[in-house]
Amino acid sequence: MLPADVLIIGGGVVGFSAAHMSLGLGAIVYVNDVDQKRLEYIDQWSQGRKHTRYYKQWSLIETIKHADLVIGAVLIPGAKAPKIVSEEMVKSMKKGSAIVDVAIDQDGCIETCNQISTHDHPIYERFGVLHYTVSNIPGAVPRTSTIALSNATLPYITKLTNQQMKDLVNDSHFLAGLNTYQGRITCRKVAEAFEMDFVDPIPLFHQDIELDLFTRIRHFMKGK
C-alpha cells in the first residue's frame, strides 16, 4: 500500500505538530506557508523528509488534487482566517479524501468548511470529501487540555494579580494578549473582524494610573 499524501496549510505550531505526527505515521507530507524562515526551520528539523513549499495558489491547486488529507492550520492572531482553499479546489480532490480545518475557530481557511461540527457528530461530506470542523478539538481530551491550558496561562494570571497597572503598561506580552479594557476593544485585529472601533490601551492605562495616584493623594490628605 502506498503512503498517504498529507497537505498541511500553515507551518505554525499546529501545522508543525500535524506534520510531525503525519511523518511519524509514514505519510508523505507537504507543508505550505508564506514565512520562508519558518519553512526553512521545518525543512532543517525534518532533515528534508517534509516537502516545504512557499504558498502559491497554482502550486496548491496541483498538490491538493493528490492529497488524501488536507489540514488547514492558518492562524492570524485575533482575526478571521483567510479562505485559502476554494470550493473548486475541494471539488478537484479525490473521492474519500478528508479535510480537517483547525482554523474553524477563526471562521476556517477552507471555503467548504462553512459549518461547525461537534464531537458527537464530527464529520460531514461535501463533494465526496469528508470534512472535520469541530471548533474545540482539545475538548476531546478535556482533563488533559485543561491542565495544559492552566499551566500555560497561570504565570500570566499570577502576574496580573501581583503587579500594578504601571508595571503592566511596559509588558509587551501582556499588551499583545489584551483584547478589551474598560469596555473598549484594544486588539486591532479583533476590532477589524467585528467592524468596531479600535482603541490604543496605553493612554487608557495612563489615565487610570493618574486617577489612581490622584485618589491615593486625596485619601492621604483626608487622613491628615
Side-chain angles (χ1 to χ4, degrees), residues 112-129:
T112 53
C113 293
N114 53 7
Q115 65 185 71
I116 296 175
S117 59
T118 66
H119 290 294
D120 291 329
H121 303 93
I123 297 170
Y124 63 91
E125 183 180 326
R126 291 200 67 186
F127 309 117
V129 179

Side-chain angles (χ1 to χ4, degrees), residues 32-42 54-55:
N32 281 32
D33 202 283
V34 294
D35 187 336
Q36 187 64 42
K37 289 185 178 179
R38 184 64 179 176
L39 291 174
E40 290 173 1
Y41 170 77
I42 294 172
Y54 189 84
Y55 168 73

Side-chain angles (χ1 to χ4, degrees), residues 12-151:
V13 174
V14 170
F16 180 85
S17 299
H20 181 52
M21 291 294 294
S22 300
L23 193 66
L25 292 171
I28 299 172
V29 181
Y30 301 87
V31 182
N32 281 32
D33 202 283
V34 294
D35 187 336
Q36 187 64 42
K37 289 185 178 179
R38 184 64 179 176
L39 291 174
E40 290 173 1
Y41 170 77
I42 294 172
D43 189 58
Q44 291 171 3
W45 186 90
S46 66
Q47 298 180 337
R49 292 179 295 164
K50 299 171 187 172
H51 302 278
T52 54
R53 295 178 176 177
Y54 189 84
Y55 168 73
K56 294 289 183 183
Q57 189 179 46
W58 62 265
S59 176
L60 184 62
I61 290 172
E62 290 304 313
T63 307
I64 204 169
K65 292 177 182 178
H66 310 288
D68 297 290
L69 173 63
V70 175
I71 299 176
V74 176
L75 174 66
I76 300 176
K80 288 185 178 181
K83 300 296 183 185
I84 304 297
V85 177
S86 68
E87 183 177 294
E88 291 303 313
M89 292 183 196
V90 175
K91 287 180 179 178
S92 74
M93 292 176 65
K94 297 184 292 186
K95 302 300 180 184
S97 56
I99 289 173
V100 176
D101 195 346
V102 185
I104 194 66
D105 288 332
Q106 274 80 30
D107 201 39
C109 63
I110 297 169
E111 202 168 50
T112 53
C113 293
N114 53 7
Q115 65 185 71
I116 296 175
S117 59
T118 66
H119 290 294
D120 291 329
H121 303 93
I123 297 170
Y124 63 91
E125 183 180 326
R126 291 200 67 186
F127 309 117
V129 179
L130 299 177
H131 289 60
Y132 179 93
T133 56
V134 174
S135 64
N136 181 25
I137 295 176
V141 284
R143 183 175 182 276
T144 302
S145 59
T146 299
I147 292 172
L149 180 62
S150 297
N151 287 339

